[in-house]
Amino acid sequence: MLRITDARTGELVDAAPARRGLTRVEARTQGFDPTNLRVLLVADLLVRALELGGTPVWAMLSGSSQQAELRAAGAALGVRPFEDERDAGTGLGEAQVLHVVADDDTTAPEGVRVAVAPVHGSPGAPDGTDPTALRLALLAHPRATPLRLGPEPLRTAADTLADWRSAVAAWAHHPSRPIPDPVRADLRSAWENDLDVPGVLHVLREVASAPDIPDGARFETYAYADRLLGVDLTRDLGSPA
């Protein structure tokens, strides 16, 4: 079960305390800048992790300004659509509310508060940059760690994506094999422990080099993890081996 740190108390809490109960994830933004884009991305990850665990989720975006720009930048990063708070009407009897906010935002109403550290730099990906490289660059650090975007982390993320997509395309030419149980457990243990995405990336690096894992199982592992990461690791399928 996914557990997340409530910034109000500093304690880990169950993200979905009622089994199969509806959970509302609300990204509370304050304009369009790199920090608010990171808030939206963390909310997207939270929705994906809950859905992977079988929890129904109501995803909502609230904010007073520049939502169109934020939504467009989020869509480029693979963030799935969030319902507009102004159009949402009354609640649907959700069992839990998770407010994803910048760590200096103290306005969130009752519910679990998921704090996101600031990002310094320009919002969106620079011209010519694969937007998913920006997504991976933001995912590569714990959400509580402040970040400064620049050419080097984006270049590193782009290189990693290129390597992994090439490897996934090559592994796809081999017979499919199930994800090894310990690997699946390690992946879920990482993302269910306070949405530890860097931990998920560490597991993927280990899987890529582990001598005892068949290539078909590597493919299935990366495809499965990408349901959380959302960085299109299977994009190059069909390319020559």
Side-chain angles (χ1 to χ4, degrees):
M1 175 179 290
L2 175 63
R3 308 199 77 208
I4 200 81
T5 298
D6 185 349
R8 297 178 190 271
T9 65
E11 300 292 331
L12 282 171
V13 299
D14 291 341
R19 182 171 176 80
R20 307 301 183 194
L22 177 67
T23 294
R24 172 155 56 99
V25 174
E26 181 177 355
R28 298 181 63 85
T29 61
Q30 304 176 71
F32 175 47
D33 61 23
T35 298
N36 283 289
L37 186 58
R38 191 184 195 186
V39 167
L40 185 59
L41 176 58
V42 170
D44 179 65
L45 287 170
L46 195 48
V47 169
R48 290 169 181 261
L50 287 164
E51 289 179 343
L52 281 167
T55 297
V57 184
W58 182 18
M60 180 187 298
L61 173 62
S62 66
S64 58
S65 64
Q66 296 181 290
Q67 283 203 14
E69 295 91 337
L70 184 62
R71 287 180 183 276
L77 265 63
V79 173
R80 293 178 294 182
F82 277 56
E83 191 170 349
D84 193 314
E85 180 191 38
R86 292 168 294 185
D87 301 330
T90 58
L92 299 176
E94 59 268 20
Q96 177 81 291
V97 182
L98 305 173
H99 301 288
V100 185
V101 299
D103 64 8
D104 62 352
D105 180 3
T106 59
T107 64
E110 290 300 316
V112 176
R113 185 172 178 271
V114 181
V116 179
V119 180
H120 305 285
S122 299
D127 291 344
T129 301
D130 181 349
T132 50
L134 174 56
R135 182 179 177 109
L136 184 60
L138 291 170
L139 295 180
H141 302 273
R143 68 177 182 279
T145 302
L147 295 178
R148 179 169 296 278
L149 290 177
E152 187 57 34
L154 288 173
R155 186 161 43 247
T156 298
D159 289 345
T160 298
L161 278 177
D163 289 345
W164 282 0
R165 286 168 174 167
S166 176
V168 167
W171 296 333
H173 291 278
H174 295 263
S176 177
R177 294 288 185 270
I179 300 170
D181 289 340
V183 171
R184 185 184 293 272
D186 286 346
L187 287 171
R188 295 197 69 95
S189 177
W191 77 58
E192 290 181 349
N193 178 25
D194 203 24
L195 209 58
D196 179 13
V197 180
V200 172
L201 299 177
H202 175 72
V203 173
L204 293 182
R205 293 186 186 97
E206 289 192 327
V207 167
S209 59
D212 57 338
I213 297 180
D215 285 343
R218 296 187 217 272
F219 170 82
E220 297 295 344
T221 299
Y222 273 63
Y224 175 63
D226 200 39
R227 293 171 62 188
L228 174 79
L229 299 175
V231 291
D232 207 5
L233 293 177
T234 60
R235 189 187 70 178
D236 293 344
L237 292 190
S239 62

